[in-house]
Amino acid sequence: MSRFIDKLKQASQVTPQPMGFKVAPPISKPRLLLIASLPQADIVHLADYLAGADAGLLPIARLTPGVKKLKEIVRAVPDIPWGGLIKGGSQNGTKRIIQAGGDFIVFPANTSLKILEDEEVGKVLAVEPSLDKGLLRAVNELPADAVLITGQEKGDYSLTWHHLMYFKRFADLLTKLLLVSVAANVTANELQALWEVGVDGVMVDIVV
């Protein structure tokens, strides 16, 4: 079972308030998980850049060098689960990511169904925010552990009410764990707003 998916499930759960007049212990609220994405990963001082992250993600454009880099990163920072973001492709690519120490994969909808054979890895389906309502509901019946709404913007930008409407729409229609891509300059108030509309975790690009 994927360590990252387990952490995501635990973070999103709320302990029910016991009934009766006894004084109950404080209930810990769910919190957003932080996934640090490293488009240009550098092993030197990597742990410093990942302080506070619950998981790491390495975009893999080319399989062989990407898998080699992932293996180095997992060895350098083993305390958090690591995943690979793939462009789509083969079962062989997924297996190599797992062999390199990958705990989960993030993949687009045009990825081969052969990855279903790799049951031990967490599966996060990446979708565009414009996905229509019918396809969104169909995602609930698919064997993916979570859904990531990919971002259109690059670099630093401010979240808008339009973003919030998209995220709320996804949270209402999906029964899957929901992740969203946000800018590195996201504020505490913005994260609070995301949590309130039903987002379970955020992915942030970290410049190393």
Side-chain angles (χ1 to χ4, degrees), residues 108-130:
N110 64 349
T111 303
S112 169
L113 288 177
K114 290 180 180 179
I115 66 171
L116 292 176
E117 298 176 17
D118 299 306
E119 297 180 356
E120 68 272 30
V121 68
K123 299 174 180 64
V124 180
L125 176 63
V127 299
E128 296 291 334
S130 58

Side-chain angles (χ1 to χ4, degrees), residues 1-6 8-9 83-84 86 94 98 103-108 111-126 139 142-148 176-177 179:
M1 175 60 71
S2 164
R3 289 168 55 202
F4 169 64
I5 298 301
D6 279 346
L8 193 58
K9 288 179 179 178
I86 59 177
T94 307
I98 297 172
D103 174 82
F104 64 99
I105 55 172
V106 179
F107 59 94
T111 303
S112 169
L113 288 177
K114 290 180 180 179
I115 66 171
L116 292 176
E117 298 176 17
D118 299 306
E119 297 180 356
E120 68 272 30
V121 68
K123 299 174 180 64
V124 180
L125 176 63
V139 169
L142 301 182
D145 300 298
V147 172
L148 168 69
K176 303 284 185 183
L177 296 162
L179 308 173

Side-chain angles (χ1 to χ4, degrees), residues 164-165 167-169 171-172 178 192-199:
L164 211 58
M165 286 187 283
F167 300 156
K168 177 61 176 173
R169 172 175 173 263
D172 286 347
L178 180 60
Q192 177 68 24
L194 296 182
W195 178 81
E196 289 176 353
V197 300
V199 173

Side-chain angles (χ1 to χ4, degrees), residues 127-183:
V127 299
E128 296 291 334
S130 58
L131 195 67
D132 69 54
K133 185 182 295 186
L135 289 177
L136 266 178
R137 286 176 172 160
V139 169
N140 290 326
E141 306 303 321
L142 301 182
D145 300 298
V147 172
L148 168 69
I149 306 177
T150 55
Q152 300 287 334
E153 298 88 347
K154 300 297 181 183
D156 289 344
Y157 62 91
S158 296
L159 289 174
T160 66
W161 289 94
H162 198 209
H163 290 105
L164 211 58
M165 286 187 283
Y166 268 127
F167 300 156
K168 177 61 176 173
R169 172 175 173 263
F170 270 74
D172 286 347
L173 293 174
L174 287 174
T175 57
K176 303 284 185 183
L177 296 162
L178 180 60
L179 308 173
V180 302
S181 176
V182 298

Side-chain angles (χ1 to χ4, degrees), residues 34-84:
L34 171 63
I35 303 97
S37 176
L38 294 100
Q40 297 178 337
D42 184 356
I43 301 299
V44 180
H45 304 304
L46 185 59
D48 295 335
Y49 289 99
L50 295 172
D54 298 286
L57 181 67
L58 181 69
I60 297 177
R62 293 186 299 155
L63 186 60
T64 298
V67 167
K68 180 180 178 181
K69 178 62 71 173
L70 178 63
K71 190 172 184 179
E72 294 174 353
I73 288 174
V74 171
R75 287 177 176 174
V77 188
D79 296 334
I80 61 173
W82 283 91

